[in-house]
Amino acid sequence: HKPLAATKLPPLYTARMARCVLSLGAATLLLAFVLLNAQAVLCLSGPENTSSPKGSPLAFMHKPMNFLASLPSKFLPTLRPAPATARVGLWNRLRAPAGACRMSTAPDTANPLLSDALFPLYSSVKASDVVPAISHLVQESRDNLATLEGEVAKATLPAAELAGRVEALSDRLGRSWGVVNHLKGVQDTEDLRKAVAEVQPAVVSLNMDIAQSLPIYKAWEKAAEAAEGTSEAVGLILQNEMRDAQLAGIALDDAKKGEFKELQQRLAQLSTNFSNNVLDATKAFSSRITDKARVAGLPESALALASATAVRKGDKESTPEEGPWVFTLDGPSLMPVLQYAADRPLREEVYRAHVTKASDQSSSAEGGDNTGLIQEILKLRQKKAELLGYKNFAEVSCASKMATPAKAMELMDDLRKSAYDEAVKEAEELQAFAKEKGFEGELMPWDEGYYAELYRQERLNFDEEALRPYLALPNVLEGMFALAKRLFDVDVVQVTDSPPPMWNDDVRFFEVRSGGSPVAYLYLDAYARPEEKRGGAWMAECAARSTAMAPEGGAVRLPVAHMVCNQSPPVGGKPSLMTVREVVTLFHEFGHALQHMLTRQDQGLVSGVRGIPWDAVELPSQWAENWCYDRRTMSGIARHHETGEPIPEDLWNKLNAAKNYRAASRLLRQLQFGVADLTLHMEGIPEGSSPHDTYKKVAKEYLVSQPMEFDRFLCGFGHIFAGGYAAGYFSYKWAEVLSADAFSAFEEVGLDNEDKVRETGARFRDTVLALGGGRDASKVFEDFRGRPPSPEALLRHEGLLVGAGGK
């Protein structure tokens, strides 16, 4: 997942946006910024989908797709705090604070992308609006840049004032570009792609000019010299801004700056092409089944979804019982096939399509072959690193993280040693079980998920499908929000009376209240729409908390977040009945959203997830996942959607008993992704080799079962080639050490000790969630935990700690 919150121009977006939300490093940000993104986006874990939540046998996909980068929403005026009874339908079209920046007259005031409303006019935006609006706003931002450069050349601005001015520099553009890229992620069309391609170079060029502005850099230097007495947050902004300017090439001569800019332009285009290819390849595949025998073993929910897909694709008479059935590469369709389908050729067909999409091995011409893009991206990132004086791009990426490449590799290897022997036992156990069931030969990747599920059902007496009737989305949301109330004393209330414009009728909108007054807002787009929506799950910034961007007459702009998932939609008149994986995914993204929404930082460049090191930003998201296995929390979630009966005690006990099944194998799969990512960005591709060879070489050390020769997983690995995780995918495991240790603080006081749980929750809120990037991430953790982090809790939670009840 990871996120960005946008500083200046967006976090990942661009070096100028140097404030890269997660401190990725201007350079990386730049790329990410242009990547997709318009909204700081924090995603689950990657197309790799490695590890379904705690206990799924599918070790190669759980968190699909990409991560979007994000532009700050500077010019986005904020709502004035409304009384507790106020409805979120009264949003005024507030203006940016006087003097924040010069605003030119819009070419067409009817263009929804030029609206200054806090809540974007999503339902009104058309592809034809993009070019005129973004072109206008790029020029407006250039005017603002020239104005600010002139001012700082004449006078020294105090650090806090300079931070606010830089934040406001291109807020309106960041806001609108964010809307465009958000829509590209959830409502993609060919016309929208063309419009983005037309204006993207101008946006990248502007962001590079901001990032490489010598007058602004010198202004930061002067402010640093007179920074005595400034707040800790402003001090970190100074450090981050100067670091990110260096990563954007501020020290290069004019010729090399031009070369650097060209690299960024090309990398941005390559990443966009990569992402488009993956989406096209995903959309192009479908498997239509008419023989009822071939869908044997699939649960009712999977057949209902396959029938609904068939109807949507033209088989109007399809029924879940008689078919035809159409299966796609969308998560809710793909995963049940690999987990439950008795038909081995069907499993192999969808597995092969999944790991070869957008590659030379794909059965479809749609999506092209991303191998060439991967090779060029790696080559240009290395060239960029050398221009900046670094040995490789991994060093550039880690310049803004807690870990160094060496420390990250060390953690990966330590975790491998803890899990490998257990993973060997898991593989042997599964092979023996399959043989008992009549399977002959060696298990293939498309067999493992199927036999692992059979094992869970027969040996562990647990069937995940049995939980679906108890996990209806409305109940899950109610229980999740009740947890937020219990731990953080906030109310999350859905707005049904005059909600703001939406991009789809299924989107929900919520107001987050503390003490009866709104403190943040949240959009939720929960369901999969494979024809137009990217796969995966992410949290994206729509607006960040900021005093510099407060509305006229207001004290602060309130944060607004998007949460986007791809879970099972309502089918057959029933609500969305979720899998445990989908519940965990929802909690994960809500953890990101809480850090964005409950921040108390008023400096916009470090509020919410902005400015947090990439390898720390997953702390609250992965921490939130743990509550899905807390009995009290689940009691508020798991109720039968028809009868209201709570989840049976024996089913709950089976869930907990099965959650660590094949945990070692899942852990190694994630480690392989992280090490392959670092290796590609540290060592490049050897002469005469391919990135796929490197991927498989790492697998020999980290995996028990090896990838197939045709495996082209990297061609769909958007996290590192079309998102913000380049040379940073290890951040998931780095942060998981932090998140597991943080959750253990609740375990230590006793999860049934209500007073102590609330007290610990308040401390988590006031440190991890509140401080954002305005305090060093290591200090924030120690503020909460009282000591540095330990990996013991992670190994214990995974059942891999010797003497901790592991297998």
Side-chain angles (χ1 to χ4, degrees), residues 701-744:
E701 181 179 5
Y702 276 80
L703 299 184
V704 177
S705 300
Q706 298 302 302
M708 302 299 294
E709 181 58 36
F710 59 74
D711 190 302
R712 295 293 185 270
F713 170 78
L714 290 178
C715 287
F717 202 176
H719 268 55
I720 67 172
F721 297 117
Y725 289 84
Y729 194 83
F730 73 85
S731 298
Y732 280 105
K733 281 303 165 192
W734 188 276
E736 194 168 357
V737 170
L738 305 178
S739 65
D741 198 352
F743 185 74
S744 70

Side-chain angles (χ1 to χ4, degrees), residues 394-462:
E395 292 186 351
V396 175
S397 174
C398 288
S400 57
K401 293 182 173 66
M402 298 175 72
T404 63
K407 283 294 185 182
M409 282 292 204
E410 181 181 351
L411 173 65
M412 301 295 110
D413 190 54
D414 286 347
L415 292 174
R416 179 189 66 81
K417 292 173 182 175
S418 298
Y420 193 85
D421 289 347
E422 183 63 29
V424 170
K425 294 178 184 177
E426 291 174 352
E428 292 173 347
E429 183 179 60
L430 189 63
Q431 183 71 49
F433 174 76
K435 185 177 181 180
E436 290 179 18
K437 305 303 293 182
F439 182 84
E440 298 180 359
E442 181 181 356
L443 289 174
M444 295 291 105
W446 50 89
D447 299 319
E448 293 176 358
Y450 175 71
Y451 283 101
E453 179 58 32
L454 281 182
Y455 184 99
R456 288 206 303 175
Q457 291 181 19
E458 296 188 12
R459 297 291 173 81
L460 303 180
N461 197 25
F462 175 71

Side-chain angles (χ1 to χ4, degrees), residues 743-787:
F743 185 74
S744 70
F746 291 84
E747 295 175 316
E748 289 167 9
V749 302
L751 293 174
D752 294 326
N753 187 334
E754 191 60 19
D755 289 341
K756 289 295 184 180
V757 166
R758 290 179 183 272
E759 178 183 310
T760 307
R763 190 168 74 250
F764 188 85
R765 177 197 63 205
D766 296 341
T767 54
V768 176
L769 300 183
L771 299 178
R775 182 166 170 77
D776 178 87
S778 297
K779 293 179 181 178
V780 170
F781 183 87
E782 292 185 27
D783 288 343
F784 170 66
R785 203 66 177 93
R787 58 165 174 74

Side-chain angles (χ1 to χ4, degrees), residues 116-133:
D116 287 337
L118 175 60
F119 302 96
L121 305 180
Y122 284 118
S123 59
S124 301
V125 176
K126 302 183 296 295
S128 58
D129 296 322
V130 174
V131 174

Side-chain angles (χ1 to χ4, degrees), residues 255-578:
K256 288 184 177 179
K257 279 183 179 178
E259 183 180 359
F260 190 92
K261 192 176 198 177
E262 290 177 2
L263 288 175
Q264 287 302 115
Q265 287 281 14
R266 179 59 180 162
L267 282 167
Q269 186 58 57
L270 289 171
S271 293
T272 297
N273 292 348
F274 184 101
S275 180
N276 288 342
N277 286 348
V278 172
L279 181 58
D280 288 344
T282 301
K283 290 164 59 177
F285 175 84
S286 65
S287 180
R288 183 175 181 271
I289 305 297
T290 57
D291 183 355
K292 194 171 185 178
R294 297 199 65 198
V295 297
L298 283 163
E300 177 186 342
S301 60
L303 295 176
L305 180 60
S307 174
T309 303
V311 171
R312 194 167 60 247
K313 289 181 175 290
D315 286 305
K316 302 302 182 184
E317 303 303 316
S318 172
T319 66
E321 296 76 21
E322 301 299 329
W325 303 271
V326 173
F327 299 96
T328 70
L329 296 184
D330 197 46
S333 178
L334 167 69
M335 294 176 72
V337 171
L338 295 171
Q339 194 169 350
Y340 293 102
D343 189 272
R344 194 181 188 214
L346 176 60
R347 298 199 308 268
E348 179 179 1
E349 179 188 9
V350 297
Y351 175 84
R352 184 183 290 263
H354 172 66
V355 300
T356 63
K357 59 178 175 281
S359 78
D360 62 325
Q361 298 294 311
S362 176
S363 60
S364 170
E366 293 294 327
D369 181 6
N370 273 344
T371 300
L373 299 185
I374 291 172
Q375 292 171 325
E376 187 176 357
I377 286 171
L378 291 172
K379 179 181 178 180
L380 296 186
R381 284 175 178 170
Q382 176 62 28
K383 192 170 185 178
K384 186 167 72 172
E386 292 171 356
L387 277 175
L388 294 172
Y390 289 90
K391 184 187 300 184
N392 53 58
F393 186 77
E395 292 186 351
V396 175
S397 174
C398 288
S400 57
K401 293 182 173 66
M402 298 175 72
T404 63
K407 283 294 185 182
M409 282 292 204
E410 181 181 351
L411 173 65
M412 301 295 110
D413 190 54
D414 286 347
L415 292 174
R416 179 189 66 81
K417 292 173 182 175
S418 298
Y420 193 85
D421 289 347
E422 183 63 29
V424 170
K425 294 178 184 177
E426 291 174 352
E428 292 173 347
E429 183 179 60
L430 189 63
Q431 183 71 49
F433 174 76
K435 185 177 181 180
E436 290 179 18
K437 305 303 293 182
F439 182 84
E440 298 180 359
E442 181 181 356
L443 289 174
M444 295 291 105
W446 50 89
D447 299 319
E448 293 176 358
Y450 175 71
Y451 283 101
E453 179 58 32
L454 281 182
Y455 184 99
R456 288 206 303 175
Q457 291 181 19
E458 296 188 12
R459 297 291 173 81
L460 303 180
N461 197 25
F462 175 71
D463 179 4
E464 187 179 24
E465 280 294 307
L467 282 169
R468 271 192 193 265
Y470 296 93
L471 298 176
L473 177 61
N475 293 340
V476 172
L477 289 176
E478 181 181 341
M480 186 172 73
F481 297 153
L483 177 66
K485 176 66 173 179
R486 176 189 179 199
L487 298 180
F488 311 130
D489 196 23
V490 294
D491 297 290
V492 185
V493 181
Q494 184 169 358
V495 176
T496 57
D497 185 2
S498 301
M502 310 289 192
W503 54 92
N504 185 280
D505 290 343
D506 290 329
V507 177
R508 292 170 166 85
F509 184 77
F510 302 88
E511 180 177 272
V512 182
R513 300 172 184 164
S514 178
S517 298
V519 295
Y521 302 94
L522 173 68
Y523 295 89
L524 172 63
D525 186 349
Y527 309 136
R529 296 188 299 276
E531 292 81 5
E532 63 176 12
K533 186 178 179 183
R534 299 184 187 282
W538 61 91
M539 188 288 290
E541 171 190 307
C542 180
R545 181 181 176 90
S546 169
T547 52
M549 300 313 304
E552 187 174 348
V556 65
R557 178 175 68 187
L558 299 181
V560 184
H562 297 129
M563 276 174 55
V564 182
C565 298
N566 271 279
Q567 68 188 51
S568 307
V571 176
K574 298 179 181 179
S576 173
L577 300 180
M578 304 169 68

